Structure formats: C-alpha cells, structure tokens
Amino acid sequence: MKRHLLCIPLFAILLLALPSCGDINYWDPEPPYGWDNTFYDQNLTGCWQLYQVNSDYVRGDQVNYMYFNGDGRGMYYYYDHGYQETERLAYWCQRAVGGASSLQVNIDYEYGSPSTMNYWFSDNNTLWMQWRNNYGLQTYVYKYYGRSPW
C-alpha cells in the first residue's frame, strides 16, 4: 500500500511540470483603458521599409520593416547583429494632441517598449513617423514595400 501512496505525489509533481494545453505564447495587447477614440487607419495597411532616419539614408543592415494588417495587428522585421528577427506588434491610431500631424499611431511591440508617434503620408508610398525622445526629435521615413521581407 505504501508503494501506491508514494506514486501519487510523484505523479502530481509530473503533472505540474508539464506545459498546459493552452497557448503558452499568449500575447493580446489592447489600447489602454479609457481610450475609446481609437481606430485602425487603412492607409497603414501593408508592409513598410525603413528608408531614412533623421535625413540619413538607412544601410541594408540597419533596415527594418513594419507590417500592418489593417486590423490592429502586424509584424516587425529587423536585423539584430546580422540575423533576421521577427516579432509581433499591435497598433491603434487616434487623433493627435499636437505635433507634426493630426494623427498618432501607438505601437506595442511583443518584446520591446510601446511607442506613440505622429504619422503622415507625403504620397501613397511614403510614410513619415515622428516623435520626441531623450535624443530630441526623431523622424523616420518608410517606403511602401508591399510584402513581408522574410
């Protein structure tokens, strides 16, 4: 009888150590509570390639891509020490309080810090993003790429 009683605690420990049947990679960010004026700008839909940073052209190993699916989700593609990396992003738009445009996009990166930036288009293929941080005013220019890079 003692032998069976010993097996029960060992079995319970094994069950706790196994991963659950649910999605262990759950990530579902949403706009902060009280943000009831958010929307998804269909003009952002598609993949955008970083072209310029503060008037400097971007080298191939510094390029990144943002894919917006039109429904508040997307992907961020970038290089990290020469390796291609990908992470999910969530986004929502709202009217800007101030800055260079009347629109803001809020981006929540799966592994990075969330960002809020003003954005505008100079034509159908050029997306401008601008924000202020500890280094001053940052202006990124993206060109429409259309498809995911990898």
Side-chain angles (χ1 to χ4, degrees), residues 109-129:
Y109 300 92
E110 183 176 14
Y111 304 119
S113 300
S115 299
T116 298
M117 55 206 78
N118 288 61
Y119 74 95
W120 66 95
F121 301 91
S122 59
D123 58 44
N124 289 339
N125 296 319
T126 307
L127 167 65
W128 296 73
M129 294 182 162

Side-chain angles (χ1 to χ4, degrees), residues 128-140:
W128 296 73
M129 294 182 162
Q130 191 174 72
W131 68 97
R132 189 171 297 281
N133 64 14
N134 293 341
Y135 302 105
L137 189 63
Q138 304 299 310
T139 304
Y140 280 33

Side-chain angles (χ1 to χ4, degrees), residues 91-108:
Y91 69 96
W92 51 92
C93 303
Q94 66 186 46
R95 298 283 171 218
V97 178
S101 74
S102 61
L103 297 171
Q104 285 181 335
V105 62
N106 305 279
I107 300 175
D108 195 353

Side-chain angles (χ1 to χ4, degrees), residues 1-146:
M1 184 69 177
K2 285 185 177 183
R3 186 182 209 175
H4 293 294
L5 290 176
L6 181 61
C7 290
I8 292 173
L10 288 174
F11 182 70
I13 290 170
L14 282 173
L15 281 177
L16 291 173
L18 293 174
S20 68
C21 295
D23 181 11
I24 55 175
N25 198 10
Y26 180 77
W27 186 75
D28 191 24
E30 21 180 82
Y33 178 76
W35 287 30
D36 53 2
N37 63 343
T38 61
F39 60 95
Y40 305 123
D41 187 344
Q42 295 302 312
N43 294 315
L44 287 173
T45 302
C47 192
W48 299 87
Q49 178 184 11
L50 183 61
Y51 181 71
Q52 267 184 336
V53 172
N54 298 327
S55 301
D56 293 327
Y57 292 101
V58 177
R59 293 190 333 245
D61 62 339
Q62 295 177 330
V63 72
N64 69 51
Y65 303 83
M66 286 202 200
Y67 172 72
F68 300 100
N69 72 357
D71 204 15
R73 295 293 184 263
M75 299 298 288
Y76 178 53
Y77 302 90
Y78 60 98
Y79 289 97
D80 183 18
H81 296 93
Y83 294 99
Q84 295 175 343
E85 299 290 341
T86 305
E87 67 184 82
R88 295 179 287 186
L89 63 83
Y91 69 96
W92 51 92
C93 303
Q94 66 186 46
R95 298 283 171 218
V97 178
S101 74
S102 61
L103 297 171
Q104 285 181 335
V105 62
N106 305 279
I107 300 175
D108 195 353
Y109 300 92
E110 183 176 14
Y111 304 119
S113 300
S115 299
T116 298
M117 55 206 78
N118 288 61
Y119 74 95
W120 66 95
F121 301 91
S122 59
D123 58 44
N124 289 339
N125 296 319
T126 307
L127 167 65
W128 296 73
M129 294 182 162
Q130 191 174 72
W131 68 97
R132 189 171 297 281
N133 64 14
N134 293 341
Y135 302 105
L137 189 63
Q138 304 299 310
T139 304
Y140 280 33
V141 179
Y142 284 85
K143 295 289 186 176
Y144 187 74
Y145 193 72

